[in-house]
Amino acid sequence: MIPNDPIEALSRTLAITPSPEFAARVRQQIATQPVPAAWWSVRHLAAAAAMVCVVSVAVMWWSGSSARDVRPGVPVGSAVPVASIAPSVTAAPARAEAPAASPAVARPRESYARVVAVESVFGETLVPDDQRLALDRLLGAIRAGRATVPGVVAEEIVDEDGRRMPRALVIEPLKLELLAGTPAEPNRDPIKEPIK
Amino acid sequence: MRDKVAWLPATLVEMTRDLELDREFEARLTDSSALAIRVAFSVLRNQADAEDVAQEAFAKAHRAFAQLRDRDSFRAWLVRMTWRMALDHVRSGRRRMTRDRVAVPAEYGPTVEETAIDEQQRERLWRAVDQLPERLRLVIVLSVMEGHSIKDVATLVGVAEGTVKSRLFDARAQLKEALR
């Protein structure tokens, strides 16, 4: 018979006590269950994985950025701007007096493609057409992947609006500087359309 | 040598901490065994099954005990975990549970208090409890255990005291209606 108050009946029904061996069974199960991996090792693994991801993304971004320093959209070491390089070509004579570094020149960026930052220590030399053509061929070969250079550095200049503009390209031992009025769009095929 | 000197205190600190945790867990086990078994029993109606589920819940609690050292937090976590595991147990093995219930050993039989209630009537009471929504069922079950106050139930379930009061009211009303 159910008492008038079902709550009381429920209370009586639930008044059970653990069996004497319950605690011993729990202890035994705990003693035999596998030890979970230490929390710090799990966290270290997660942190290491996250670090690898961050570094990968940073390297990818950085290499892309450095490639844009040389010429937008062209990977460093495989292609080099040509038409934007007006024929103010500095050849590498004996070490000449280093030009004074302009404060407006942005610091060159490094990339994993062995683009190294170097200070220009060469003087300016205008080259004749045949040498300019040879240079065009070199740049074309680099772009086509047929020639490699130990390092390419793009120097930039920051204008009044804070925009970064290309100033020079350094392929040791050459330094190619842009002249005022150099068109922004590069010549895509310097061999077929050499700079006049 | 220097490495060993640095390693030894760290190991000792770790061992001391483990021993302290074990001691605390032992205290929680003694303190909360009945609570866990009763919560499981309220779902399973079988003490052997209830103890199995409570045992699993304690084993899980031990793995996470570093985060559950506070007594209230531990009991609340244990109640909710045991409740969920008991429900899972019913869902996954209702047929086995029914068979076991028939073959309950003598020591798991009805208590003295339970014998005062007719078996058929007790079944009717449990059927009425089972018909309650889960949120009402847990509240009413906890409220009749171990003299829990409204505040205790609120802490265990993790809701406000006002919520517990209203759920208790609803649960009582629905139980009376079902048992009329």
Side-chain angles (χ1 to χ4, degrees), chain A residues 8 21 23 28 34 38 44 56 59 64-65 74 82 94 96 108 129 131 134 138 153 155 157 174 176 188:
Chain A
E8 192 185 333
E21 65 270 20
Q28 188 180 6
H44 280 200
S56 304
V59 165
S65 176
V74 180
V82 175
D129 284 347
Q131 290 187 16
L138 169 65
V153 173
E155 289 183 355
I157 189 167
L174 302 175
L176 315 176
R188 299 271 175 203

Side-chain angles (χ1 to χ4, degrees), chain A residues 16-17 19 25 27 29, chain B residues 26 38 47 51-52 55:
Chain A
I16 57 171
T17 52
S19 59
R25 283 169 50 200
R27 287 188 204 105
Q29 179 165 354
Chain B
E26 193 66 28
R38 287 168 184 169
Q47 185 156 351
E51 290 199 358
D52 285 348
Q55 182 182 331

Side-chain angles (χ1 to χ4, degrees), chain A:
Chain A
M1 167 120 191
I2 296 216
N4 289 335
D5 188 2
I7 301 300
E8 192 185 333
L10 200 57
S11 176
R12 285 182 191 166
T13 311
L14 286 173
I16 57 171
T17 52
S19 59
E21 65 270 20
F22 175 72
R25 283 169 50 200
V26 171
R27 287 188 204 105
Q28 188 180 6
Q29 179 165 354
I30 289 170
T32 55
Q33 72 185 359
V35 179
W39 63 270
W40 55 265
S41 65
V42 175
R43 288 192 181 181
H44 280 200
L45 265 177
M51 184 70 77
V52 167
C53 288
V54 167
V55 168
S56 304
V57 169
V59 165
M60 288 168 66
W61 178 85
W62 195 251
S63 62
S65 176
S66 294
R68 283 193 299 275
D69 288 347
V70 175
R71 189 179 70 78
V74 180
V76 173
S78 63
V80 177
V82 175
S84 62
I85 301 165
S88 164
V89 178
T90 306
R95 285 192 173 264
E97 189 179 338
S102 166
V105 176
R107 187 180 178 80
R109 284 180 162 181
E110 289 190 8
S111 86
Y112 73 99
R114 292 184 54 77
V115 173
V116 292
V118 291
E119 293 282 335
S120 174
V121 292
F122 308 109
E124 267 191 350
T125 306
L126 292 176
V127 296
D129 284 347
D130 58 339
Q131 290 187 16
R132 198 186 68 202
L133 186 61
L135 179 62
D136 281 347
R137 289 179 182 278
L138 169 65
L139 297 178
I142 291 173
R143 178 194 285 177
R146 288 180 283 109
T148 56
V149 291
V152 178
V153 173
E155 289 183 355
E156 293 176 330
I157 189 167
V158 180
D159 65 8
E160 296 83 4
D161 299 330
R163 287 177 303 188
R164 297 166 65 177
M165 306 292 287
R167 175 176 178 270
L169 185 70
V170 179
I171 308 171
E172 289 286 8
L174 302 175
K175 178 177 181 179
L176 315 176
E177 292 195 350
L178 303 182
L179 293 179
T182 300
E185 283 299 314
N187 184 353
R188 299 271 175 203
D189 193 343
I191 306 301
K192 290 182 180 172
E193 303 171 27
I195 299 168
K196 304 290 183 190

Side-chain angles (χ1 to χ4, degrees), chain B:
Chain B
M1 184 63 192
R2 191 176 169 189
D3 284 347
K4 282 184 181 173
V5 171
W7 171 82
L8 202 58
T11 306
L12 284 177
V13 167
E14 202 169 302
M15 285 172 64
T16 309
R17 194 196 59 195
D18 288 349
L19 286 174
E20 195 180 334
L21 279 177
D22 284 347
R23 200 169 54 244
E24 284 185 31
F25 185 80
E26 193 66 28
R28 298 284 173 275
L29 177 61
T30 308
D31 179 47
S32 309
S33 291
L35 175 65
I37 291 172
R38 287 168 184 169
V39 167
F41 184 85
S42 71
V43 177
L44 300 168
R45 308 306 139 59
N46 176 287
Q47 185 156 351
D49 282 339
E51 290 199 358
D52 285 348
V53 167
Q55 182 182 331
E56 286 295 327
F58 270 107
K60 278 193 174 181
H62 184 265
R63 290 196 283 269
F65 190 60
Q67 288 85 48
L68 298 169
R69 292 174 73 164
D70 175 64
R71 181 180 180 272
D72 284 344
S73 303
F74 181 85
R75 284 169 68 86
W77 184 92
L78 186 69
V79 162
R80 284 176 238 163
M81 175 60 67
T82 308
W83 179 261
R84 279 202 301 273
M85 290 172 70
L87 290 175
D88 288 346
H89 191 88
V90 169
R91 285 169 194 144
S92 64
R94 182 179 288 279
R95 205 174 284 172
R96 177 174 62 92
M97 192 195 72
T98 307
R99 192 177 65 243
D100 286 353
R101 209 189 286 178
V102 173
V104 167
E107 62 265 31
Y108 295 136
T111 62
V112 176
E113 289 83 4
E114 281 175 337
T115 53
I117 307 172
D118 180 66
E119 178 70 24
Q120 191 178 355
Q121 297 295 336
R122 195 152 28 90
E123 280 297 322
R124 195 175 152 219
L125 172 64
W126 281 120
R127 272 201 305 274
V129 171
D130 285 345
Q131 285 171 2
L132 294 174
E134 272 187 31
R135 60 193 176 85
L136 302 185
R137 199 158 29 131
L138 180 58
V139 165
I140 199 161
V141 161
L142 288 175
S143 70
V144 301
M145 278 182 203
E146 305 182 3
H148 284 144
S149 65
I150 300 283
K151 187 180 176 185
D152 293 337
V153 176
T155 305
L156 289 174
V157 181
V159 297
E161 288 182 39
T163 308
V164 171
K165 283 180 189 170
S166 71
R167 286 185 186 179
L168 268 181
F169 181 83
D170 290 346
R172 282 181 176 143
Q174 289 186 30
L175 268 184
K176 282 184 179 172
E177 182 67 28
L179 294 170
R180 187 182 293 171

